[in-house]
Amino acid sequence: MVDLGLPVVPSVAGRPDNPRLVDGFGRIATDLRVSLTDRCNLRCTYCMPAAGLDWMPGSQMLSDAELGRLIRIAVEDLGVTDVRFTGGEPTLRKGLEELIASVAALSPRPRISMTTNAVGLARRADALRAAGLDRVNVSLDTVRRERYAELTRRDRLPDVLDGLAAARAAGLTPVKVNAVLLRGVNDDEAADLLRFCVEHGYALRFIEQMPLDPQHGWDRSEMVTAAEILELLGAEFALTPSPSARGAAPAERWLVDGGPADVGVIASVTRPFCGDCDRTRLTADGALRSCLFSTTETDLRGPLRAGAADAEIADRWRAAMWGKLAGHGINNTGFAQPDRPMSAIGG
Ligand code: SAM
């Protein structure tokens, strides 16, 4: 067969001739979340069993070169402007600094961020910053050492606090802190977490717990809702709606005691924001997902390893995003939780 260099993926019915990641509901994905590994050095009870999960075999994971190529296509051909590394725990990925440097060298240069538990950040923050990382989101559900050890099954709170401080000192700012409140576990700590973050200059975001646990044990009635979080905070702080535009940001924000500090709540379940979603997701084994809750994926690793040209990969990506659903459907009857847990999708 003669290769004419034409895209092999057929055009998708109704899709406009637009190089960007448009979908059928008028949204354009510009924010790429890349999972670098499904492994983690913590075992947060709501995210991973004590023994860990069946990790992806190394041969199934994208190599650095493959990852770099897909990110380049996303940025240079598909209009992605923001790249967020996540996992699993992205700092466990060997060659992270080099990967970041290669993304920072793209044109136009995307904004580069990382979601991390910060366990190993203290000794790497400067190198990550030098490589081109712009900022970090650090996951921290409690500032009490014993509770942290119970919740994560690892006694690493001091390392995390050092990691946060190092991130701020290195200029990986604004340093955001993500917290999930769990009923009867840490829901008495909402105000303490906010006080800690305000004192240290970190921007706190509470995240409603979503049905993405490996046990498939999520229970809506157990979830601490945005309304409850605001009530808990409101008992100790004066919260006023933030005047800054929300855009496609998942967090609704409030000024704390008049500002400038603010606090955000990411209410994916009780106040979904799918209509403004601008995200596209790549798993560590090269599966493309248009939503955290997608039950279908588009394989990019296969075509990549079969020698597909950039144009074909880009077309597959466009076709996958064109089919993005209007919403995640958590609140629909018949909602089916995806097979992959959060740690294997990339939170
Ligand atoms: N290891 C990195 C970290 O700790 O930030 C990145 C991956 S971790 C899966 C990303 C975030 O997902 C964490 O903030 C974690 O609390 C959150 N998370 C895990 N399971 C969740 C769930 N079921 N609902 C909401 N957030 C969840």
Side-chain angles (χ1 to χ4, degrees), residues 46-47 86-89 115-117 139 178 180 208-210 342 347:
Y46 58 95
C47 193
T86 179
E89 173 48 41
T115 302
T116 173
N117 58 34
S139 303
N178 294 339
V180 177
E208 279 182 347
Q209 192 186 8
M210 296 178 276
M342 184 71 132

Side-chain angles (χ1 to χ4, degrees), residues 39-217:
R39 293 171 193 243
C40 193
N41 43 2
L42 299 181
R43 292 287 182 274
C44 299
T45 49
Y46 58 95
C47 193
M48 235 181 234
L53 293 161
D54 287 336
W55 310 125
M56 285 172 195
S59 60
Q60 287 182 21
M61 290 181 56
L62 297 177
S63 66
D64 291 349
E66 289 169 335
L67 262 174
R69 182 173 167 208
L70 289 178
I71 297 171
R72 174 178 56 73
I73 292 170
V75 170
E76 296 189 347
D77 301 337
L78 301 171
V80 160
T81 56
D82 292 84
V83 176
R84 168 95 61 96
F85 293 111
T86 179
E89 173 48 41
T91 56
L92 296 184
R93 174 106 187 183
K94 290 201 181 72
L96 176 61
E97 284 80 358
E98 289 76 11
L99 184 63
I100 289 172
S102 72
V103 175
L106 294 174
S107 178
R109 183 201 191 281
R111 286 178 286 270
I112 309 172
S113 57
M114 179 171 72
T115 302
T116 173
N117 58 34
V119 165
L121 202 55
R123 55 192 157 72
R124 285 178 79 180
D126 286 330
L128 290 165
R129 179 76 179 128
L133 186 67
D134 294 313
R135 56 169 206 84
V136 286
N137 279 35
V138 172
S139 303
L140 180 65
D141 300 330
T142 172
V143 284
R144 301 184 194 169
R145 184 167 178 173
E146 270 183 32
R147 184 176 278 181
Y148 188 92
E150 265 173 46
L151 187 52
T152 68
R153 300 191 181 100
R154 302 286 188 271
D155 181 20
R156 304 301 296 267
L157 183 63
D159 300 310
V160 174
L161 300 184
D162 288 350
L164 274 164
R168 192 187 49 202
L172 293 170
T173 51
V175 173
K176 294 188 184 171
V177 169
N178 294 339
V180 177
L181 291 186
L182 306 164
R183 198 172 300 285
V185 176
N186 63 343
D187 56 341
D188 57 348
E189 230 185 300
D192 286 351
L193 278 163
L194 181 53
R195 206 169 290 112
F196 167 82
C197 286
V198 170
E199 274 172 19
H200 291 84
Y202 310 140
L204 178 62
R205 306 285 181 254
F206 288 99
I207 308 176
E208 279 182 347
Q209 192 186 8
M210 296 178 276
L212 288 170
D213 55 311
Q215 301 86 354
H216 288 225

